[in-house]
Amino acid sequence: MHRPFSVTTAAGVRIDADLWFRCYGVVPLSDMLHGELAAARRPDGHVEVDEHLRVAGASNVFAVGDVTAVPEPKRSKAASEHAAVVAANIRALAAGRPAEQTYRPGEDAVLVPLGSTGGASQVPGPEGPMVLGAAETVRYKGDDLLLGRFAELFGTSA
Ligand SMILES: Cc1cc2nc3c(=O)[nH]c(=O)nc-3n(C[C@H](O)[C@H](O)[C@H](O)COP(=O)(O)OP(=O)(O)OC[C@H]3O[C@@H](n4cnc5c(N)ncnc54)[C@H](O)[C@@H]3O)c2cc1C
């Protein structure tokens, strides 16, 4: 909804804003899992993993991203960090070593670009979360929406 509105939170705090996004949460698609993998599926669809991101009860199957039951906000930043841990662990298994890398959720950050020149962000700071303005948001994300970073990762030109 794009018009001024007000809400009052359960704690009685009134919030006035100009734009309202209705959000319905995330429902993981994991009902395709069968056999031993199905046992790792929670009732809400998230898949239980250990600290190496191995699917619970399966020593050589890993899960990354939103589908994992890791208690953290479901974001692409987390999914990318899962991928790095899992890639290292698969390399270790392939070399005959045990899975070595563990995953711990990082601090939360939200970058909200508005076009290629605007936006705002909330990132971890030395004394808790801090807000960044448009210039920093553009520099971190809005300028190319991270295409450059992923082009470098996959060895393609942006
Ligand atoms: C509107 C919106 C805005 C977002 N904005 C941000 C943001 O600004 N920053 C941020 O960090 N994160 C953001 N996120 C979250 C981010 O998109 C997810 O955390 C991220 O995409 C998770 O990656 P994933 O690979 O786990 O899942 P997905 O990206 O959902 O990929 C799962 C893939 O599996 C496919 N699939 C499903 N079932 C099957 C099947 N049976 N067989 C084969 N393929 C299947 C799906 O089609 C999909 O392509 C946003 C999400 C939404 C919905």
Side-chain angles (χ1 to χ4, degrees):
M1 185 171 76
H2 186 198
R3 60 182 156 84
F5 75 98
S6 303
V7 288
T8 304
T9 68
V13 178
R14 183 186 150 116
I15 298 173
D16 298 311
D18 301 319
L19 184 63
W20 178 6
F21 290 102
R22 287 175 187 259
C23 303
Y24 298 95
V26 172
V27 179
L29 292 177
S30 60
D31 53 357
M32 79 293 273
L33 297 178
H34 291 290
E36 60 172 353
L37 298 180
R41 204 171 163 253
R42 285 185 177 178
D44 68 359
H46 285 111
V47 173
E48 207 76 61
V49 289
D50 68 8
E51 72 273 22
H52 303 290
L53 297 176
R54 276 183 305 218
V55 173
S59 59
N60 61 354
V61 181
F62 294 83
V64 297
D66 286 6
V67 80
T68 64
V70 177
E72 62 186 343
K74 300 304 177 194
R75 300 236 170 80
S76 61
K77 174 178 175 286
S80 298
E81 291 168 4
H82 295 174
V85 168
V86 167
N89 285 335
I90 291 174
R91 276 197 297 269
L93 292 184
R97 302 191 310 273
E100 290 152 349
Q101 291 228 0
T102 56
Y103 175 77
R104 271 221 334 247
E107 287 192 86
D108 198 16
V110 182
L111 308 173
V112 184
L114 291 173
S116 58
T117 56
S121 305
Q122 182 177 295
V123 298
E127 288 159 27
M130 54 189 240
V131 173
L132 304 179
E136 284 120 324
T137 304
V138 167
R139 185 155 56 81
Y140 285 124
K141 184 171 178 185
D143 196 24
D144 74 344
L145 293 178
L146 309 179
L147 276 178
R149 183 188 302 178
F150 284 100
E152 196 182 323
L153 180 67
F154 292 115
T156 58
S157 53

